[in-house]
């Protein structure tokens, strides 16, 4: 039988890009064209493409990028619906690339795009990842949006180095280039929680990566506002948790259970208020307190555990209703199992724990599928 052998052709020879620059965007319309022109200037004759990964920005960022893409094949755009998060946007852009090298860069011109050719050269000479670092000689972080962000960047980096055993000066950097084959290999292990893709990548590598650094002078934002709110701290904490305890139990389940346990305190406080202070009869007060605890669990899970899929507006209400329904069934399962275990002669403590565990697993499994389902 005739066998056709496909010899790999260097991308540059057939016109494909050598570097895909992935730019996550959220309401960056005013910067799109400037980013493209800055890249065109910086990349010169090096074959490149930019992949904007836009989380359905309200200001028409994706439309702007696609409009330019119609007459410029350096430009691509992925539009995501019902998704949020810089890290997962970056990862999806990398996965959409076929170039040998992929870079992550912000879409607000805070990163110095003129470093890209040098990053490319360093990868060509054997490094796996080249990080634009604000914390080595010649670098600077003065363009960070606030002192709070600067503190997070510095301490977050130290924590990441400690807990995740990363060895580099700026694990929190959002500007780096790496070999795509290295990324492809470790992509299934990524957490893609929050906004720090680099820390995630470095912590997910199962063998040491050849890391090189290059000084970055982080510039001030040109147009628009920073999108990263105080929630970035929660996100970073989730990433650290996922990369540490996440190996034993899924981080969302750990959080869900902790929040569920804290619901007991909310329940008791509400019961004390309703029964002792407001003078409501015990049965009604208990039912109301359970509703208050369930509602607070729902809201905290929505803000923390499922931050990346959080529900707003009308969907917050339908989400709450499904959560009530799931918890009601979880409650019945909890009591039923505990009772069965207890009547089979097991001591009350173990029976109680067994019931609570079954209830928690049920509530978690069902609410992750129904209340906070991944594809919306
Ligand atoms: N796709 C996507 N991009 C985001 C998200 N949050 C921020 N970005 C983009 O990520 C880049 C860095 O965000 P920015 O707000 O400038 O962060 P800061 O410079 O650290 O304050 C910008 O290009 C943003 O538009 C997000 O949830 N999804
Ligand atoms: Mg920025």
């Amino acid at each position: 039988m005739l066998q056709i052998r496909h010899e790999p052709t260097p991308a540059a020879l057939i016109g494909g890009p050598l570097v895909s620059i992935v730019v996550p965007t959220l309401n960056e319309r005013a910067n799109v064209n400037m980013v493209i022109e800055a890249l065109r200037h910086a990349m010169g004759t090096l074959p490149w493409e930019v992949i904007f990964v836009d989380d359905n920005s309200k200001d028409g960022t994706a439309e702007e990028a696609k409009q330019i893409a119609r007459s410029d094949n350096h430009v691509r755009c992925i539009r995501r619906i019902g998704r949020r998060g810089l890290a997962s946007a970056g990862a999806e852009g990398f996965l959409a690339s076929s170039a040998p090298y992929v870079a992550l860069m912000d879409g607000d011109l805070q990163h110095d795009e003129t470093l890209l050719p040098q990053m490319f050269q360093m990868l060509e000479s054997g490094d796996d990842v080249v990080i634009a670092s604000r914390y080595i000689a010649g670098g600077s972080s003065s363009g960070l949006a606030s002192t709070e962000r600067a503190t997070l960047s510095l301490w977050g980096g130290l924590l990441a180095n400690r807990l995740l055993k990363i060895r580099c000066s700026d694990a929190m950097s959002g500007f780096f280039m790496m070999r795509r084959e290295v990324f492809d290999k470790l992509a299934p292990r990524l957490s893609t929680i929050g906004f720090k893709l680099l820390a995630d990548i470095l912590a997910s590598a199962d063998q040491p990566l050849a890391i090189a650094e290059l000084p970055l002078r982080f510039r001030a934002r040109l147009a628009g506002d920073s999108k990263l709110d105080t929630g970035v701290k929660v996100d970073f904490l989730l990433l650290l948790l996922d990369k540490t305890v996440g190996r034993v139990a899924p981080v969302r389940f750990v959080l869900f259970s902790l929040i569920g346990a804290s619901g007991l305190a909310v329940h008791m406080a509400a019961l004390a208020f309703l029964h002792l202070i407001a003078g409501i009869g015990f049965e009604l007060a208990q039912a109301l307190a359970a509703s208050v605890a369930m509602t607070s669990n729902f809201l905290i899970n929505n803000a923390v555990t499922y931050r990346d899929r959080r529900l707003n507006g009308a969907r917050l209400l339908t989400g709450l209703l499904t959560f009530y329904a799931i918890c009601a069934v979880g409650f019945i399962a909890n009591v039923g199992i505990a009772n069965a275990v207890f009547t089979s002669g097991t001591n009350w403590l173990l029976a109680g724990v067994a019931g609570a565990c079954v209830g928690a697993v049920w509530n978690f499994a069902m609410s992750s599928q129904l209340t906070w389902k991944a594809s919306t």
Side-chain angles (χ1 to χ4, degrees):
M1 204 169 56
L2 182 66
Q3 289 269 324
I4 300 173
R5 283 192 61 214
H6 289 283
E7 286 296 334
T9 316
L13 291 185
I14 53 164
L18 277 179
V19 184
S20 298
I21 301 131
V22 172
V23 178
T25 52
L26 194 63
N27 298 327
E28 300 287 3
R29 186 189 180 108
N31 289 318
V32 168
N33 195 33
M34 281 189 283
V35 167
I36 296 169
E37 290 316 313
L39 287 174
R40 200 186 314 284
H41 194 251
M43 299 305 281
T45 54
L46 205 65
W48 62 283
E49 67 174 354
V50 56
I51 305 176
F52 291 96
V53 185
D54 185 64
D55 281 351
N56 207 22
S57 297
K58 297 276 183 294
D59 72 348
T61 303
E63 287 84 345
E64 173 78 1
K66 288 184 184 187
Q67 181 60 35
I68 298 172
R70 289 173 64 171
S71 57
D72 184 350
N73 57 12
H74 286 111
V75 182
R76 292 168 61 193
C77 176
I78 297 172
R79 178 178 163 217
R80 306 197 305 170
I81 313 257
R83 307 280 304 282
R84 281 293 294 275
L86 218 164
S88 69
E92 274 167 50
F94 283 7
L95 290 173
S97 163
S98 51
Y101 303 116
V102 285
L104 184 74
M105 193 179 95
D106 282 0
D108 55 6
L109 298 154
Q110 289 197 272
H111 292 149
D112 181 358
E113 69 289 339
T114 63
L115 298 179
L116 288 164
Q118 202 182 335
M119 291 165 130
F120 167 77
Q121 290 298 338
M122 291 161 87
L123 293 178
E124 284 271 277
S125 55
D127 292 315
D128 292 320
V129 187
V130 178
I131 302 167
S133 166
R134 297 158 293 184
Y135 305 114
I136 53 173
S140 133
S141 60
S142 58
L144 276 169
S146 63
T147 46
E148 190 192 354
R149 292 298 312 284
T151 316
L152 176 70
S153 166
L154 202 58
W155 285 97
L158 290 175
L159 257 178
N161 285 14
R162 258 292 155 91
L163 290 179
L164 308 180
K165 303 190 174 47
I166 293 171
R167 295 278 160 269
C168 74
S169 69
D170 196 357
M172 308 292 271
S173 176
F175 189 24
F176 60 95
M177 193 188 289
M178 68 184 295
R179 294 177 181 280
R180 186 175 57 81
E181 60 183 14
V182 172
F183 177 81
D184 276 347
K185 230 177 264 163
L186 54 77
R189 287 197 296 278
L190 293 175
S191 306
T192 62
I193 295 172
F195 66 113
K196 291 304 172 194
L197 182 59
L198 178 62
D200 197 353
I201 288 173
L202 298 179
S204 302
D206 53 358
Q207 38 193 299
L209 299 175
I211 298 173
E213 297 182 317
L214 202 126
L216 167 69
R217 302 189 74 78
F218 195 69
R219 301 189 288 224
R221 193 178 243 282
L222 221 64
D225 301 317
S226 169
K227 312 300 173 318
L228 303 185
D229 52 19
T230 47
V232 297
K233 286 188 208 135
V234 175
D235 281 334
F236 185 59
L237 216 62
L238 292 190
L239 175 65
L240 288 180
L241 270 175
D242 196 49
K243 283 282 169 264
T244 46
V245 299
R247 289 169 211 269
V248 184
V251 69
R252 285 198 213 266
F253 181 64
V254 172
L255 282 171
F256 191 88
S257 306
L258 286 176
I259 292 166
S262 78
L264 182 64
V266 174
H267 181 109
M268 293 316 286
L271 180 63
F273 173 80
L274 293 165
H275 184 55
L276 296 181
I277 300 175
I280 297 175
F282 181 79
E283 204 173 4
L284 180 60
Q286 170 76 355
L288 288 173
S291 312
V292 169
M294 257 190 299
T295 310
S296 93
N297 276 6
F298 169 77
L299 293 174
I300 301 172
N301 276 310
N302 193 47
V304 179
T305 317
Y306 292 101
R307 207 179 122 64
D308 56 334
R309 306 180 198 166
R310 60 184 173 272
L311 308 170
N312 295 302
R315 286 181 47 219
L316 190 69
L317 194 67
T318 49
L320 179 62
L321 294 179
T322 63
F323 191 72
Y324 281 159
I326 291 162
C327 291
V329 178
F331 173 80
I332 294 167
N334 174 345
V335 176
I337 298 278
N339 202 31
V341 174
F342 182 66
T343 50
S344 74
T346 311
N347 95 7
W348 66 270
L349 197 64
L350 277 179
V353 169
C357 285
V358 170
V361 170
W362 162 270
N363 288 351
F364 173 71
M366 292 308 285
S367 66
S368 71
Q369 292 303 312
L370 293 176
T371 312
W372 291 284
K373 56 179 174 287
S375 53
T376 49

